[in-house]
Amino acid sequence: MTLFSSTCPLAVVGGRVAGSVIAFRSQDEPGDIYVQDVVTDPGHRRQGITRALLDTVAGRGCEWWCRRLHLTSEPGNRTAHAAWTAPGFTNVVGDRSFGDVSAVTDYEGPGRTRAVYELALSERSTIAVRTRRRDFSDALACLGRAGS
């Protein structure tokens, strides 16, 4: 199935999935791509896989002339906050603060306060990978299309 293959890349190392991103282009705001989930195998963390996957989605967004990527996380999740701000996402100002993390009350419905992050895109911009990229052998592949 390739329904969302263009925005759901996989990182494959040694024939096994090491990470994935599930993202969707908004039907209401076609200039936005919402990153629903980012998953990296614990044995492959801190190797640049998340950044490479997000770079793939950002590149697709640039091809489509999208304005931004955005995602949310639990406001108390300090690891996620660091993971999103390191590659250039900004924490959108909300109506509550959890330390230095801003959050929006009821963003995802009653009782679902979330920290909101966004990354502005332009025709040529993608996430700056500040750590060295590793050769992920099988590299990044979009669902259903190896080598994309």
Side-chain angles (χ1 to χ4, degrees), residues 44-56:
H44 293 284
R45 291 187 180 154
R46 305 205 49 83
Q47 297 177 19
I49 290 175
T50 294
R51 288 184 188 200
L53 289 166
L54 289 171
D55 188 46
T56 299

Side-chain angles (χ1 to χ4, degrees), residues 1-146:
M1 179 185 209
T2 60
L3 186 60
F4 295 105
S5 65
S6 60
T7 57
C8 298
L10 297 174
V12 179
V13 177
R16 298 188 65 161
V17 174
S20 66
V21 167
I22 298 173
F24 307 96
R25 188 173 186 188
S26 173
Q27 293 180 5
D28 296 325
E29 296 291 336
D32 290 349
I33 294 177
Y34 177 69
V35 178
Q36 172 67 39
D37 289 304
V38 178
V39 180
T40 303
D41 180 273
H44 293 284
R45 291 187 180 154
R46 305 205 49 83
Q47 297 177 19
I49 290 175
T50 294
R51 288 184 188 200
L53 289 166
L54 289 171
D55 188 46
T56 299
V57 175
R60 184 62 55 145
C62 289
E63 290 173 16
W64 291 335
W65 295 89
C66 291
R67 293 183 327 250
R68 68 181 180 147
L69 299 182
H70 68 110
L71 54 86
T72 65
S73 70
E74 297 283 338
N77 187 337
R78 302 294 305 152
T79 302
H81 179 74
W84 307 143
T85 56
F89 280 84
T90 57
N91 181 208
V92 175
V93 176
D95 59 356
R96 297 179 66 183
S97 291
F98 294 79
D100 62 345
V101 177
S102 188
V104 179
T105 303
D106 299 336
Y107 185 83
E108 292 182 351
R112 301 216 30 177
T113 299
R114 294 292 182 265
V116 180
Y117 299 86
E118 66 179 31
L119 178 72
L121 301 176
S122 68
E123 175 187 2
R124 297 174 192 219
S125 72
T126 55
I127 299 170
V129 178
R130 296 182 188 98
T131 59
R132 67 175 189 254
R133 273 195 157 157
R134 294 183 178 230
D135 175 9
F136 298 124
S137 62
D138 301 275
L140 297 175
C142 287
L143 290 171
R145 298 184 335 191

